[in-house]
């Protein structure tokens, strides 16, 4: 995408809306936050909000995408799954209030489902890039199971049910990777 003044302005608006959402999350649950509260808090119109996002969950998922993209960039630069996970969990820890509120919601358009879809697609694309082939059905199923488990552990950690550092959580997820997947990532030299 070409960086134009309009694109830059649009990105700034999206970040303002995300900041407003984060402010609202400090005092109320995601379910109780309205688009009106988000827009009034940052001085934009509802029309501006809806020009950028379908709903408040779309805003949450967009902001998460921005954070996740930063951690996954490291994989493209020769880093490992472990390194990317540490980066992801560090970002999540830095934005704890936002993610604790967002991960509590588990219905339509939830961050949990969005995170699952993103990491599954990321790992499948990574395998395809490294091997030149689409992962077979067995690897796909193992990846689905692993990604679901990863989200579960991430949510437990964010909600304070698992106490460890970002490095500790990344180690748990790398150590807990199913054997076939671990072997494949080790062979591709991207595990740890």
């Amino acid at each position: 995408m070409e960086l134009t003044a309009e694109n830059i302005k649009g990105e700034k608006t999206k970040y303002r809306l995300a900041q407003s959402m984060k402010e609202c999350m400090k005092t109320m649950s995601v379910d109780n936050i309205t688009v009106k509260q988000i827009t009034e808090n940052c001085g934009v119109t509802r029309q501006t909000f809806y020009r950028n996002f379908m709903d408040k969950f779309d805003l949450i998922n967009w902001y998460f995408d921005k954070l996740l993209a930063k951690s996954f960039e490291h994989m493209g630069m020769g880093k490992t799954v472990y390194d990317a996970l540490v980066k992801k969990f560090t970002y999540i820890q830095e934005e704890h209030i936002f993610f604790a509120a967002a991960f509590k919601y588990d219905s339509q358009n939830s961050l949990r489902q969005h995170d699952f879809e993103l990491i599954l697609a990321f790992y499948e694309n990574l395998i395809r890039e490294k091997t030149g082939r689409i992962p077979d059905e067995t690897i796909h199923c193992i990846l689905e199971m692993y990604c679901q488990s990863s989200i579960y552990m991430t949510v437990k950690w964010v909600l304070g049910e698992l106490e460890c550092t970002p490095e500790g959580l990344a180690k748990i997820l790398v150590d807990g990777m199913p054997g076939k997947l671990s072997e494949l990532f080790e062979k591709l030299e991207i595990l740890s």
Side-chain angles (χ1 to χ4, degrees):
M1 179 169 75
E2 186 180 332
L3 276 180
T4 64
E6 188 176 315
N7 291 341
I8 292 169
K9 182 180 177 190
E11 282 291 292
K12 286 182 179 179
T13 299
K14 289 179 179 182
Y15 276 108
R16 284 178 56 205
L17 288 163
Q19 185 61 42
S20 177
M21 180 71 166
K22 287 168 39 177
E23 288 299 315
C24 292
M25 288 172 147
K26 289 179 181 178
T27 58
M28 62 188 87
S29 72
V30 172
D31 285 336
N32 293 329
I33 297 171
T34 65
V35 170
K36 182 179 179 184
Q37 290 166 318
I38 297 167
T39 58
E40 286 179 353
N41 195 33
C42 68
V44 301
T45 65
R46 287 173 54 88
Q47 181 182 7
T48 298
F49 179 92
Y50 286 114
R51 194 173 26 248
N52 288 284
F53 300 106
M54 294 183 305
D55 57 25
K56 62 188 173 185
F57 304 105
D58 189 33
L59 167 59
I60 290 169
N61 291 341
W62 173 84
Y63 188 64
F64 181 72
D65 289 351
K66 291 297 182 182
L67 298 178
L68 198 61
K70 290 178 185 177
S71 65
F72 283 168
E73 279 174 13
H74 283 255
M75 294 268 236
M77 298 185 311
K79 302 286 183 180
T80 64
V81 169
Y82 172 81
D83 293 331
L85 288 172
V86 168
K87 189 110 172 133
K88 175 184 175 180
F89 299 141
T90 299
Y91 286 130
I92 288 174
Q93 187 177 53
E94 289 169 358
E95 301 279 352
H96 183 263
I97 291 170
F98 176 83
F99 286 105
F103 276 128
K104 282 181 185 172
Y105 180 80
D106 192 25
S107 294
Q108 176 189 348
N109 204 11
S110 73
L111 181 58
R112 292 178 192 207
Q113 183 62 30
H114 186 69
D115 190 11
F116 166 75
E117 291 166 2
L118 282 177
I119 62 174
L120 177 62
F122 173 78
Y123 284 134
E124 287 186 330
N125 289 334
L126 185 62
I127 291 168
R128 187 172 50 246
E129 286 173 15
K130 296 282 187 177
T131 65
R133 296 185 316 266
I134 295 170
D136 64 31
E137 188 62 29
T138 301
I139 292 296
H140 174 78
C141 289
I142 292 170
L143 267 173
E144 278 191 342
M145 179 182 66
Y146 175 68
C147 291
Q148 286 288 3
S149 300
S150 296
I151 301 304
Y152 174 79
M153 295 307 294
T154 301
V155 170
K156 279 186 71 154
W157 177 68
V158 169
L159 298 181
E161 298 170 21
L162 174 65
E163 290 188 28
C164 59
T165 63
E167 295 82 5
L169 183 56
K171 183 172 178 1
I172 288 168
L173 294 184
V174 168
D175 290 349
M177 190 176 283
K180 276 189 177 263
L181 195 55
S182 179
E183 289 169 18
L184 175 60
F185 283 3
E186 197 67 53
K187 182 178 165 188
L188 298 175
E189 299 179 348
I190 57 171
L191 187 59
S192 57

